[in-house]
Amino acid sequence: MTVESKSKNSVKRTRLIVGAVVGIAVAVAAAFVLISNQSAVSTDAFDYSQIPQGRQSDGGFVLGDPDAPVTIVAFEDFLCGHCQRYKVHVDKLITEYVAEGLARFEYRFTPVVDPSYSWQTAKLAECSETLRPGSFWNAHDALYEIASARQFSDNSSRIFAERMNMSYADLLACTRDANQVNKDLQLANQLGVTGTPTVFVRYGDGFPQPFPFGKQPNFEQLAAVIDGAS
């Protein structure tokens, strides 16, 4: 083989390698875009409008049929890593029991992770509902997605506003007077909540009681209590 032939073969191999690398890069970029797009719309993946939404007498946010015999009460912080992972159980609870009218789910703001942003996320969630009634549970999901994807910062509030298609200025103005987090924290202190997530159970309109399987029951334990109350 001549030097010229070797040179041509080397060039061909180089082109093939470069082509393969470019192809892989394009595939990775396409996958990233697909995943990003899925993340951007995932907060609307569950149609909460088909489930009754309400609030307790002190303002606590509740999802589900008011006539359901049992309410699962969760004290959580959007920035809490354990809460972010626990959401898998909550999502299944909502899908299999709350959406079917067999139970209710009550969310209570419990700012324990960060002295600034934990309070801010709670106020943003409340203000989402204030500015657009019926949006709280989508805001709830959006805040968990944002908080679990990155460290929460001032820019995260802007990301939340964009995700919810709301005015950032209006949200910030609303947060100055939002106070549901204070009411929820008062209830948490009354019940002796020391960490998140902490789950209680409310039978009918009664006062929240300690969950029989511990503070962080899995889906099967949640289901057992609900089935037992039906």
Side-chain angles (χ1 to χ4, degrees):
M1 181 179 293
T2 66
V3 173
E4 182 179 358
S5 297
K6 290 181 178 180
S7 178
K8 288 181 178 179
N9 288 336
S10 177
V11 170
K12 288 180 179 179
R13 285 195 296 271
T14 301
R15 287 176 177 173
L16 286 172
I17 292 172
V18 171
V21 171
V22 171
I24 292 172
V26 170
V28 170
F32 177 79
V33 170
L34 177 60
I35 292 171
S36 298
N37 287 340
Q38 288 175 337
S39 175
V41 300
S42 60
T43 52
D44 295 324
F46 197 93
D47 188 1
Y48 288 107
S49 67
Q50 300 303 308
I51 307 177
Q53 301 179 35
R55 301 182 73 168
Q56 295 289 11
S57 58
D58 65 350
F61 289 93
V62 188
L63 183 70
D65 189 341
D67 294 327
V70 62
T71 300
I72 302 301
V73 186
F75 290 82
E76 300 187 21
D77 183 335
F78 293 115
L79 274 60
C80 162
H82 292 298
C83 300
Q84 293 163 11
R85 291 186 288 275
Y86 190 70
K87 192 172 181 297
V88 173
H89 300 284
V90 172
D91 288 346
K92 193 170 184 180
L93 167 72
I94 292 174
T95 300
E96 298 193 16
Y97 282 92
V98 178
E100 298 299 321
L102 301 174
R104 304 176 83 195
F105 178 65
E106 181 176 329
Y107 189 87
R108 293 287 179 164
F109 304 123
T110 316
V112 297
V113 175
D114 187 278
S116 176
Y117 293 126
S118 290
W119 288 78
Q120 181 72 357
T121 54
K123 289 173 178 285
L124 287 171
E126 179 185 354
C127 284
S128 175
E129 179 68 20
T130 300
L131 297 175
R132 186 189 299 157
S135 68
F136 173 80
W137 294 100
N138 287 114
H140 163 277
D141 288 356
L143 284 165
Y144 268 124
E145 288 180 9
I146 294 168
S148 62
R150 60 182 67 80
Q151 184 175 357
F152 209 87
S153 65
D154 290 340
N155 189 54
S156 300
S157 296
R158 291 184 179 276
I159 293 172
F160 172 74
E162 293 173 1
R163 183 74 63 87
M164 297 301 296
N165 194 26
M166 292 182 177
S167 164
Y168 176 62
D170 289 347
L171 278 169
L172 283 189
C174 173
T175 59
R176 299 188 188 104
D177 298 318
N179 66 349
Q180 184 58 44
V181 60
N182 297 289
K183 297 177 182 179
D184 288 357
L185 191 57
Q186 182 178 3
L187 178 61
N189 291 333
Q190 185 178 356
L191 291 169
V193 174
T194 57
T196 55
T198 296
V199 176
F200 286 77
V201 58
R202 188 195 296 272
Y203 294 99
D205 296 325
F207 197 69
Q209 300 177 24
F211 205 86
F213 295 106
K215 296 179 180 180
Q216 299 175 19
N218 59 33
F219 171 75
E220 287 71 23
Q221 292 168 329
L222 292 169
V225 168
I226 296 169
D227 291 340
S230 301

